[in-house]
Amino acid sequence: MDTTTRAAKIPFNQTEINWDNLDKTKLSVVGVGLFGGVTAVLYPVSVIKTRMQVASGDAVRRNALATFKNILKVDGVPGLYRGFLTVSTGAIPTRIIFLTALETTKAATLKLIEPLKLSEPVQAGIASGLGGFSASLCSQALFVPIDVISQKLMVQGYSGHARYKGGIDVAEKIIKADGLRGLYRGFGLSVITYAPSSAVWWASYGSSQRMIWSALGYLHDTEDAPSQLELVSVQATGGVIAGTVTSCVTTPIDTIKTRLQVMDNQNKPKASEVVKRLIAEDGWKGFYRGLGPRIFSSSAWGTSMSACVQKLKRSDFGDVLNLNAIPIMLGVLY
């Protein structure tokens, strides 16, 4: 077999490499650049979703495309990156914590359930689901304050929301009004949203990939080698399935959480009041504001991150640097 063929093929038994064989330095160092690139590509989608979720008055009727055009008209391209510096500063270490907890829990869970002799898709679903739940819990303590600050920056000046000079200004005003606990507004809902959301995403992603590999005939033939195209296609399909399932299940809670987090410091409604207001403004469909962008973001981010992690698991530093386009391509496609 020539070099080109070998480069294009990955033995199926290496499509997933366990945590014990992973180069942690590579994950931490090179992963920062890869995950930072994914965040930059997908950040505007998060801004659009957040704007849709907090919209009031005539803005309630805008779809994702109309919201996108409005942001460009009023603020230009910089409007799509409000709060990006805050997110990029905090999100990268948060993702490293997330992935460390994810992979560690997955590896430990697979060892625990191995004696049960469950099917491959079920094992993958259980291990990935518990890994996602654990990872989300571990990362929330750092993520929630970043989320609160960035979302206030995303919606500043929009639908009556206050304006700020930057992330530090937001943090100072929140702490002045509510103390440090103000940075954790919506923490309970964040845990309720992201821990189950992460569990559902990774469970759906892991089990759907296993079922696809089985349908392609690779699951029990570990010596056969899927091509790079097949590997990326299966990862992307699994990501879209997982993103769609997760978004449909958790968007209502995410909408309530977002509204709570962006409220003015003097206006502190309870979750029940936010629910009543949403129903009064837009009926039950109001809970699904921003569903389209959220499906897009969840599918693209999760697929891109997984592709990055899988590449980091099996590549040398030089090989990783040659494949930085992976997350960008997936971000554009999905």
Side-chain angles (χ1 to χ4, degrees):
M1 185 181 293
D2 60 26
T3 305
T4 303
T5 304
R6 286 198 301 271
K9 297 280 187 177
I10 295 176
F12 181 74
N13 59 7
Q14 292 183 24
T15 56
E16 289 191 19
I17 299 175
N18 65 41
W19 179 254
D20 295 333
N21 297 328
L22 177 62
D23 185 333
K24 282 77 171 179
T25 301
K26 184 191 300 181
L27 176 65
S28 300
V29 178
V30 181
V32 167
L34 291 175
F35 304 145
V38 176
T39 300
V41 171
L42 297 179
Y43 190 78
V45 182
S46 295
V47 175
I48 293 169
K49 174 193 74 76
T50 301
R51 289 283 187 101
M52 292 178 70
Q53 288 178 327
V54 304
S56 60
D58 294 337
V60 170
R61 307 302 172 190
R62 292 185 185 136
N63 58 23
L65 180 59
T67 302
F68 171 71
K69 290 179 178 178
N70 179 257
I71 293 173
L72 289 180
K73 180 180 178 180
V74 176
D75 299 315
V77 174
L80 294 171
Y81 283 90
R82 282 185 175 176
F84 177 72
L85 182 60
T86 300
V87 168
S88 59
T89 301
I92 292 173
T94 300
R95 294 299 177 187
I96 298 299
I97 293 171
F98 183 97
L99 290 171
T100 301
L102 172 72
E103 293 291 341
T104 303
T105 305
K106 280 174 62 179
T109 303
L110 283 172
K111 289 179 181 178
L112 285 174
I113 64 176
E114 186 176 2
L116 300 179
K117 305 298 182 182
L118 301 172
S119 66
E120 287 280 348
V122 173
Q123 285 188 41
I126 293 173
S128 297
L130 288 176
F133 189 87
S134 169
S136 185
L137 286 179
C138 291
S139 61
Q140 285 305 304
L142 179 59
F143 175 75
V144 171
I146 296 167
D147 198 31
V148 170
I149 293 171
S150 65
Q151 286 184 340
K152 281 183 173 290
L153 290 172
M154 287 179 188
V155 302
Q156 61 177 322
Y158 180 74
S159 289
H161 291 280
R163 287 191 172 274
Y164 301 94
K165 298 176 183 178
I168 295 177
D169 184 41
V170 175
E172 288 177 345
K173 289 181 177 177
I174 291 174
I175 293 173
K176 183 178 179 180
D178 296 323
L180 287 175
R181 68 177 184 177
L183 293 173
Y184 285 88
R185 183 183 294 176
F187 180 78
L189 282 176
S190 289
V191 172
I192 292 173
T193 300
Y194 291 116
S197 173
S198 182
V200 171
W201 199 98
W202 287 100
S204 301
Y205 182 70
S207 58
S208 64
Q209 276 200 99
R210 290 289 175 168
M211 287 188 280
I212 295 170
W213 285 127
S214 179
L216 294 176
Y218 287 111
L219 194 58
H220 301 294
D221 185 4
T222 57
E223 297 303 318
D224 199 4
S227 66
Q228 288 278 8
L229 178 60
E230 286 177 311
L231 178 63
V232 173
S233 297
V234 170
Q235 288 176 336
T237 303
V240 171
I241 292 171
T244 301
V245 171
T246 304
S247 298
C248 289
V249 171
T250 62
T251 292
I253 300 175
D254 185 59
T255 300
I256 297 169
K257 174 192 69 70
T258 300
R259 286 206 154 205
L260 281 172
Q261 290 178 331
V262 302
M263 291 294 182
D264 293 337
N265 297 324
Q266 289 74 31
N267 183 14
K268 306 166 189 174
K270 296 179 180 179
S272 59
E273 294 173 348
V274 172
V275 170
K276 291 177 182 178
R277 189 177 302 172
L278 269 170
I279 295 174
E281 289 178 355
D282 206 20
W284 289 101
K285 67 179 181 180
F287 291 99
Y288 282 90
R289 286 181 188 172
L291 177 62
R294 193 157 190 263
I295 290 175
F296 180 100
S297 180
S298 178
S299 301
W301 170 259
T303 303
S304 301
M305 185 169 68
S306 180
C308 290
V309 172
Q310 294 303 325
K311 188 60 190 175
L312 286 170
K313 283 179 176 180
R314 67 174 64 89
S315 300
D316 293 330
F317 279 98
D319 292 332
V320 172
L321 295 175
N322 289 333
L323 284 170
N324 278 345
I326 289 177
I328 296 176
M329 289 189 296
L330 290 172
V332 171
L333 288 171
Y334 295 99

